[in-house]
Structure formats: C-alpha cells, structure tokens
Amino acid sequence: MSVFLMSNLSASRFVLTGFPGLEVYYILFAIPFSTIYAMVLLGNCMILHVIRTESSLHQPMFYFLAMLALTDLCMGLSTVHTVLGILWGFLQEISLDACIAQSYFIHGLSFMESSVLLAMSFDRYIAICNPLRYSSILTNDRILKIGVAILCRSSMLIPPVIIRLKFLNYCRPHFLSHSFCLHQDLIRMACSDICFNSFYALSLVICTLLLDAVLILASYVMILHTVLSIASREERIKSLQTCVSHISAVLVFYIPIIGLTMVHRFGKHLSPLVQVLMGNIYILFPPFMNPIIYSIKTQQIRVRIQRLFSLNGT
C-alpha cells in the first residue's frame, strides 16, 4: 500500500531542467533572463497602451497588432514563474496538474500567434491588392469576429489531447527537457498508449501551424504579384515596406518552432543544453522581438512611443 502511494506521489511531480551542467552559473543567467522577461512584459504592454490611447491607431492593422502583443504578453506570463524560478533557485519541480495547465497555455498561445499572423497577412493582402475596399472589408465588426474565431480555434482544439495527459501512466524518469512543460515532453515519459496523443497532436500542427504558414506564403505570393505590376518604383518600394514588420514577425515566430521541432525529432544525439537553448528561444524570442520590430519598422508606432517617452521626460 505504501509503495502504491509513493508511486502515485512521485508520478505527480516532474523535475524541470534549467541549463544542464551549468547549475553553478544559474544566478548569472537569472539576471539577463529576468531582464528579457521584463522587456517582454513592458514592451508588449507599451504596444497595447499606445494602440489603446491613440485614436489614430484604431485601424485594422493595429487591432491585429494589439492581438499579437496580447498573445506575446500571455506567453511571457505563462512561463516566467518556472523559467525564473529555476534560475533564482526557488523552484525545481512542478506538479502534473500545473504542468498540464502550462502546456495548454504554451501550445494554445502558439496556435493563437500563428492565427494572428495569418490574419495580419490577410490585412496586408487586402491593403495592397484591394485598397479601395479595405475599409469596407475589414470593418470593426468583422475584425471582432476574426478575433473571436482565433480565440476559439486556439483554445477549443487543444483540450482533447491535453486532458488525456491527466490519465496517462508516467513510469519513466520524470525529468523534463526544458524549464517549462510541453506536450511532447510529457508523452515521452508515459508508458500508456499515446497513439491518440501523437496523431491528434500531429494533426493539430498540420491544420494550424503548417496550414497557416502555407496561407501566409500564398498571400505574399499574391502581394508580390500585385506589387510587381505597379509601374512606379517608389510605389512598389512603399507597398513592400508596409509588409516588412509582418514578414519579420513571421520569421521570428516560425524559425524557432522549426528549430525546436528539428532538435526534438532528429537531435537525440545532441547535448541536452541544445534542447534547453532552443526551447528558451522558442518561448522568448517572438515575445521579445515583436515589440522591437514594430517599434522600429512601423512609423506610426515609433512616433507615438517617442512622443510617450518625451512626455514622461518632461
């Protein structure tokens, strides 16, 4: 009886992985990681504040940017306690329930970011390929419906595979590959039948991340075709410049995902440090970079932020 209780107790806890072999340097890592998280939270909050307070930014493009900033903000909040908890030394393990909840938010927010980037590519497509109907197509009511659809798509497709994690038998060593929880990490430790989880998760990735990437690529093929048909060179450059921020955000999002997937699939021989590094890039790079990208590349945002700092300075 006591052995059964002990096994159940151990099955409910999972050891988080920081930077293997570099534990003595955690306090040194904690300072830059804390700074990055602070910049993630402040940067995305600043984008949201500027869009909310500036009536001139109440346009479809900036509504989608606000959705992106909110998604990035939530991604930072969903992982900050475990990542910094390990580095500052007050957290070493996580319960199964907390791990499942965190994996739900991480994967759900990834799908949400992909969906928002797709919506932003649609916005750029309409703005460049059909500018005369831009305001009539992307009305406030339609943008609200797109936002609700993104939320439903990101939150309602994941529960079947995430809930099942609660009922798996975890008999392998409970050492996670990262300082946060991922679905693929949990099923790797399960001794139960994981066919449903594996196939459903693969289907989700194909129907969300992969499909979104294909549609984004298709939208830019059509945008490029329209831009190349413009006679004026200056107008062509001006049209393409409006897409630079979005293209940068797409690359910042998809490159870490591809890198992490490749490491998990084909990097069994690699050092665990590589997996940890790729995992941290996956969760931190997009939320960290997107406010910087849009602050530098989008003139309307840049001007408002400069004005905000100048007002605070006086």
Side-chain angles (χ1 to χ4, degrees):
M1 182 70 175
S2 60
V3 173
F4 175 77
L5 288 173
M6 285 298 291
S7 66
N8 274 349
L9 180 62
S10 63
S12 67
R13 310 296 298 181
F14 295 86
V15 178
L16 296 159
T17 300
F19 292 91
L22 300 174
E23 287 80 6
V24 293
Y25 302 108
Y26 275 8
I27 194 67
L28 298 178
F29 290 137
I31 297 171
F33 268 84
S34 297
T35 304
I36 290 171
Y37 269 105
M39 292 182 69
V40 166
L41 301 179
L42 292 174
N44 287 289
C45 284
M46 183 171 61
I47 295 289
L48 289 169
H49 173 73
V50 168
I51 293 173
R52 185 182 68 86
T53 55
E54 289 288 341
S55 57
S56 61
L57 299 182
H58 294 174
Q59 303 172 28
M61 173 184 173
F62 297 106
Y63 288 143
F64 289 128
L65 176 55
M67 294 181 197
L68 184 68
L70 183 60
T71 303
D72 286 337
L73 179 64
C74 292
M75 179 63 90
L77 292 173
S78 68
T79 58
V80 62
H81 63 291
T82 54
V83 175
L84 294 187
I86 290 176
L87 296 178
W88 285 111
F90 56 81
L91 185 68
Q92 283 81 39
E93 57 183 28
I94 187 171
S95 69
L96 177 61
D97 290 341
C99 197
I100 291 172
Q102 188 180 53
S103 67
Y104 170 79
F105 283 109
I106 290 175
H107 293 298
L109 290 166
S110 293
F111 293 156
M112 186 176 292
E113 181 140 353
S114 177
S115 301
V116 172
L117 290 172
L118 175 60
M120 294 174 86
S121 71
F122 175 69
D123 168 79
R124 291 299 84 208
Y125 167 74
I126 298 298
I128 294 173
C129 300
N130 205 348
L132 297 179
R133 296 189 58 203
Y134 181 76
S135 57
S136 62
I137 293 174
L138 288 175
T139 61
N140 288 345
D141 183 57
R142 193 159 288 160
I143 291 170
L144 180 61
K145 289 178 181 177
I146 291 173
V148 172
I150 289 172
L151 182 62
C152 292
R153 182 196 193 208
S154 306
S155 60
M156 296 176 68
L157 293 177
I158 301 179
V161 73
I162 293 295
I163 291 173
R164 197 167 185 277
L165 292 173
K166 176 70 175 174
F167 304 100
L168 296 179
N169 179 30
Y170 300 97
C171 61
R172 294 188 176 94
H174 298 165
F175 291 93
L176 298 169
S177 303
H178 305 284
S179 50
F180 48 86
C181 298
L182 295 175
H183 170 264
Q184 58 264 38
D185 229 7
L186 284 170
I187 63 172
R188 177 178 56 83
M189 292 177 282
C191 297
S192 311
D193 181 14
I194 58 170
C195 288
F196 173 79
N197 284 68
S198 298
F199 286 115
Y200 190 92
L202 179 61
S203 301
L204 267 183
V205 170
I206 293 172
C207 295
T208 53
L209 299 179
L210 184 58
L211 178 62
D212 291 351
V214 170
L215 292 175
I216 290 170
L217 181 61
S219 71
Y220 272 103
V221 169
M222 291 185 285
I223 287 171
L224 189 60
H225 180 267
T226 301
V227 169
L228 292 177
S229 66
I230 299 174
S232 170
R233 182 175 180 272
E234 290 75 16
E235 286 299 317
R236 288 201 300 268
I237 294 173
K238 184 179 178 181
S239 297
L240 288 175
Q241 282 178 339
T242 64
C243 301
V244 170
S245 298
H246 179 254
I247 293 172
S248 301
V250 169
L251 294 175
V252 159
F253 175 71
Y254 278 102
I255 289 175
I257 285 183
I258 294 170
L260 183 62
T261 302
M262 296 296 285
V263 166
H264 272 286
R265 289 285 180 184
F266 308 110
K268 307 299 183 188
H269 62 286
L270 296 175
S271 165
L273 196 59
V274 176
Q275 288 193 14
V276 171
L277 184 61
M278 286 304 302
N280 282 299
I281 291 173
Y282 160 64
I283 61 164
L284 282 175
F285 197 55
F288 176 73
M289 288 301 300
N290 284 336
I292 297 174
I293 290 169
Y294 279 93
S295 298
I296 294 173
K297 293 294 184 181
T298 307
Q299 183 182 0
Q300 298 96 317
I301 295 289
R302 184 173 68 249
V303 169
R304 267 64 179 191
I305 290 175
Q306 288 172 347
R307 185 187 303 170
L308 181 65
F309 279 108
S310 64
L311 287 174
N312 290 337
T314 57

